[in-house]
């Protein structure tokens, strides 16, 4: 096992080596982002336009167009969102083992693109379920290798900003997707097949950009700082599991899992808001749009703040914003204030946690195993959030929405205290994990 450097382990586990403290970057340095980060941002932007086009019309297409029952749609939705766990871990490990992060990511993007064309041909529930599962499997396959490419392309002092820039571009694509889908439906007189074909074209273009402008990182970039003997060492399954024994990395994983388990899903919070304010159902879709806009605006500043003041601090601050959202729903505030506050706080939560968590975990991971390591963090957080959503739904059913909200707020407050203890030390302080290394991901 080769750590990216002894400093990266010390940074995440709490050691305070004064040499690891880098001076704050200059204004010019803060603005620098590796070209491959921008290219991957373009790929994600275009791909998210494609994905959100399908997401916007899929419920109507399946329930009203094909006549699926709400129960059948619910089962498909669970399959749609749960199919990423295994493929995410597989994609991260395979990319590390063969040093083919771009290649594995391209396979994932290609699978998802092909599924857009298969959806109109899928006639039954089982066929549609298979296509949706394959689409989500492709998403899971590409996520960890793509994030590993971002991490390897950025210097240690720029990790937060690099992920912030990528997440902002990704979110921009999510904002454009639904309007594009509606425009296609309007032009084609509600021809859903045209939406799927247009979605495929966007996805294919994103894949083409990836293949033309991104290369697999050189072995030196993959294991920079680990010594030449690490270049040829294959990553075995035992190595992938042993990453959990790295003290700093396991602390980040546990914090992500714990906080994820006390995170209520966006849909539940929007439903609680609608109950409190009696918001018109016609305006309900604007709530996620507001969250995405705030996320888009704050992703880069949050990542930069993590680089300057400590990524662990920003990560915890993002969850503090979510806790404030819980409290807002429990407080007797005016309707307009709640309608503005909840999407804004959720956007702040995602800006402070999504890319920042990857920037926090990547330097603590063993060199040459960033794909698998980031996949572990992502999967643990996703599993925690699934448990949290299920637990909140059960509490709402058994005790009512107010009591469920109180339990969620208390649970998140306790989880925040535990996460502070887990991330205490280097993970909460600014600094670099290692000297700037090769930027060969592009």
């Amino acid at each position: 096992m080769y750590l990216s450097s002894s400093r990266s382990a010390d940074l995440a586990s709490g050691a305070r080596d004064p040499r690891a403290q880098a001076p704050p970057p200059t204004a010019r340095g803060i603005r620098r982002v590796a070209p491959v980060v921008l290219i991957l941002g373009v790929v994600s932007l275009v791909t998210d336009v494609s994905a959100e086009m399908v997401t916007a019309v899929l419920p109507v297409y399946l329930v009203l167009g094909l006549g699926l029952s709400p129960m059948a749609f619910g089962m498909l939705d669970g399959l749609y969102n749960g199919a990423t766990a295994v493929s995410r871990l597989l994609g991260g490990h395979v990319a590390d083992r063969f040093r083919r992060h771009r290649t594995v990511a391209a396979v994932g993007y290609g699978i998802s693109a092909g599924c857009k064309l298969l959806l109109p041909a899928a006639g039954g529930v089982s066929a549609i379920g298979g296509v949706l599962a394959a689409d989500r499997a492709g998403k899971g396959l590409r996520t960890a290798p793509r994030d590993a490419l971002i991490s390897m392309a950025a210097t240690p002092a720029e990790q937060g900003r690099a992920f912030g820039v990528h997440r902002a571009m990704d979110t921009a694509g999510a904002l454009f997707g639904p309007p594009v889908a509606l425009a296609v439906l309007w032009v084609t007189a509600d021809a859903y097949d045209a939406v799927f074909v247009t979605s495929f074209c966007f996805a294919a273009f994103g894949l083409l950009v990836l293949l033309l402008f991104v290369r697999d990182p050189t072995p030196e970039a993959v294991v920079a700082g680990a010594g030449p003997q690490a270049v040829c060492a294959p990553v075995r399954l035992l190595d992938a599991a042993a990453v959990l024994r790295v003290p700093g990395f396991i602390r980040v994983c546990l914090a992500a899992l714990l906080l994820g388990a006390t995170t209520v899903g966006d849909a539940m919070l929007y439903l609680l808001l609608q109950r409190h304010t009696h918001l018109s159902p016609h305006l309900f879709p604007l709530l996620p749009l507001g969250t995405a806009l705030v996320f888009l605006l704050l992703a880069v500043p949050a990542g930069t703040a993590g680089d300057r003041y400590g990524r662990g601090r920003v990560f915890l601050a993002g969850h503090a914003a979510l806790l404030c959202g819980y409290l807002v729903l429990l407080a007797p505030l005016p309707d307009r204030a709640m309608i503005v506050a909840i999407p804004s706080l959720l956007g702040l939560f995602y800006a402070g946690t999504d890319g920042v968590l990857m920037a926090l975990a990547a330097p603590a991971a063993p060199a040459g195993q960033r794909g698998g390591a980031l996949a572990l963090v992502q999967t643990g957080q996703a599993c925690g959030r699934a448990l949290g959503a299920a637990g909140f739904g059960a509490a709402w059913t058994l005790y009512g929405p107010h009591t469920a909200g109180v339990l969620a707020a208390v649970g998140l407050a306790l989880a925040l205290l535990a996460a502070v203890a887990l991330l205490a030390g280097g993970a909460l302080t600014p600094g670099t994990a290692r000297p700037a290394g090769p930027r060969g991901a592009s």
Side-chain angles (χ1 to χ4, degrees), residues 105-175:
V107 171
Y109 280 110
I111 291 173
S112 294
C115 289
K116 305 300 189 296
L117 287 182
L118 294 177
L119 269 174
V125 174
S126 58
I128 295 172
V131 173
L132 293 179
D135 178 64
R136 292 297 89 184
K139 177 178 174 59
L141 199 65
R142 71 185 184 241
T143 300
R146 180 204 64 203
D147 284 350
L149 285 170
I150 295 171
S151 176
M152 288 182 282
T155 63
E158 298 170 336
Q159 294 280 315
R161 180 170 178 80
F163 278 103
V165 168
H166 175 269
R167 295 311 196 258
M169 297 178 73
D170 182 85
T171 305
L175 287 173

Side-chain angles (χ1 to χ4, degrees), residues 18 20 40 53 62 70 128 204 229 253 262 281 302 328 361 385 410 419 434 439:
L40 289 171
M53 286 181 66
L62 294 179
I128 295 172
Q229 70 274 23
C253 286
T262 53
V328 164
R385 287 181 175 178
V410 171
R434 55 178 171 81
R439 300 164 71 100

Side-chain angles (χ1 to χ4, degrees), residues 322-428:
L322 179 64
L323 177 59
C324 290
Y326 293 176
L327 297 177
V328 164
L329 289 172
L330 296 173
L333 297 176
D335 289 358
R336 290 184 179 179
M338 296 180 74
I339 291 172
V340 172
I342 294 302
S344 299
L345 288 169
L346 276 176
L348 181 58
F349 161 66
Y350 283 116
T353 58
D354 191 351
V356 172
L357 176 59
M358 296 297 99
L360 175 63
Q369 293 181 237
R370 287 196 179 181
L374 294 182
L376 283 172
V377 177
Q378 294 162 354
T379 302
Q381 184 186 51
C383 291
R385 287 181 175 178
L387 290 174
F392 183 81
W396 186 340
T397 302
L398 293 174
Y399 308 114
H402 182 79
T403 301
V406 172
L407 292 174
V410 171
L412 180 54
L414 294 175
L416 270 170
L417 292 176
V420 169
L422 284 169
L423 299 178
L428 295 180

Side-chain angles (χ1 to χ4, degrees), residues 178-204:
V180 173
L182 292 176
V184 172
L185 286 175
W186 181 73
V187 170
T188 62
D190 294 338
Y192 289 100
D193 290 0
V195 174
F196 297 134
V197 172
T198 306
S199 172
F200 166 77
C201 292
F202 275 100

Side-chain angles (χ1 to χ4, degrees), residues 39-40 43 101-110 149 203-216 442:
I39 295 170
L40 289 171
V43 173
H101 296 79
R102 190 285 302 260
T103 304
V104 175
V107 171
Y109 280 110
L149 285 170
F205 178 73
L207 176 60
L208 184 63
V209 171
L210 178 72
L211 293 174
L212 289 179
F213 298 106
V214 179
R215 296 193 179 115
D216 282 306
S442 60

